[in-house]
Amino acid sequence: MVKKATKKEINEIKTLFLEHYKDAKTELNYSNDFELLIAIMLSAQCTDKRVNLITPALFKKYPTPQSLQDAPLEDIKELIKTCSFFNNKATNLKAMAQMVCEKFDGKIPLDREELKNLPGVGQKTANVLLIESQGANFIAVDTHVFRVSHRLGLSNSNTPLKTEEDLTKLFKDNLFTLHQAMVLFGRYICKAINPKCHECFLSHLCKSKISFKA
């Protein structure tokens, strides 16, 4: 088990993340909450770069929840077929649009519990949408955040939700910026394989270097 970071180290980690990533934003392209939710749903086990190649045609053909709920499922699948798990994702996108139209008058709800009731939307997806759309004080744990938080000794929990709880208790505020910071840091510096330790501004605080791969 990785050694836990001390309170002093946690404060330094938080400060350095906020300094280096003060203007961090998602790399997903979108222009409204509906497009944002679709992009986040597609990004599960798929790169943002790939999602950004897929969404322009999807958004152009089905720009509203109303149009997406009426779309033939096979057409949605065709538009997103280069995305991982596209069959399940297409089914969830259509069902999500139907529920948004039936229960929320065609508007994406901005309440976490209501979002989590939408097909294909779990807590991580709901958190990311609210972080991006509303600057909500949440943190979402994807593979990058999970890996970074464990390598830095911020959490030893073995699930994303428990890790989210740990990070929320430790950091308390600025969670929306810290979320984006940890995603980008994990994506480009603290990578699962061949992390760029020589470029890392947190290398002196790392508890596990390359031993934690997830």
Side-chain angles (χ1 to χ4, degrees), residues 4-207:
K4 281 288 193 80
T6 65
K7 189 170 183 179
K8 183 181 177 185
E9 288 171 334
I10 291 163
N11 288 335
E12 186 176 356
I13 289 166
K14 180 178 179 179
T15 298
L16 287 170
F17 268 136
L18 292 175
E19 281 179 7
H20 282 80
Y21 294 96
K22 62 179 181 292
D23 298 317
K25 288 183 171 62
T26 184
E27 294 184 313
L28 293 169
N29 296 330
Y30 68 95
S31 59
N32 54 53
D33 289 340
F34 174 61
E35 292 183 357
L36 175 59
L37 181 54
I38 290 174
I40 298 167
M41 291 172 70
L42 290 175
S43 71
Q45 286 92 45
C46 187
T47 65
D48 288 3
K49 191 173 181 180
R50 167 59 54 192
V51 172
N52 288 337
L53 292 173
I54 292 168
T55 50
L58 181 65
F59 294 162
K60 184 176 181 181
K61 192 162 187 182
Y62 303 113
T64 64
Q66 290 82 0
S67 60
L68 187 60
Q69 75 161 346
D70 295 332
L73 183 59
E74 291 306 313
D75 196 35
I76 300 172
K77 288 181 183 180
E78 181 64 25
L79 285 165
I80 68 168
K81 66 183 180 182
T82 59
C83 189
S84 55
F85 307 106
F86 71 92
N87 283 314
N88 283 342
K89 289 178 180 178
T91 300
N92 283 332
L93 286 176
K94 184 174 171 69
M96 174 275 290
Q98 287 172 334
M99 186 176 284
V100 166
C101 290
E102 289 168 9
K103 289 197 169 184
F104 302 105
D105 197 29
K107 296 183 177 66
I108 302 301
L110 297 175
D111 173 85
R112 182 160 69 171
E113 294 309 310
E114 289 179 341
L115 280 167
K116 284 164 60 177
N117 284 329
L118 295 175
V121 178
Q123 180 145 317
K124 183 184 79 171
T125 298
N127 282 4
V128 173
L129 184 131
L130 293 170
I131 288 165
E132 281 299 321
S133 174
Q134 307 296 306
N137 194 46
F138 292 140
I139 201 157
V141 178
D142 64 359
T143 55
H144 301 301
V145 177
F146 189 82
R147 179 174 63 255
V148 169
S149 60
H150 283 70
R151 283 183 176 173
L152 292 173
L154 298 171
S155 174
N156 281 325
S157 296
N158 56 12
T159 68
L161 282 178
K162 286 288 186 185
T163 302
E164 179 191 324
E165 288 176 18
D166 292 340
L167 295 174
T168 301
K169 285 177 188 171
L170 292 179
F171 289 145
K172 296 184 176 61
D173 55 25
N174 289 297
L175 297 183
F176 56 94
T177 303
L178 290 163
H179 163 76
Q180 298 295 2
M182 293 178 80
V183 169
L184 295 174
F185 178 72
R187 185 174 291 161
Y188 297 111
I189 296 177
C190 194
K191 300 192 286 185
I193 300 169
N194 299 323
K196 298 180 180 179
C197 299
H198 61 290
E199 294 180 22
C200 180
F201 57 88
L202 294 170
S203 59
H204 62 296
L205 296 166
C206 186
K207 303 297 183 185

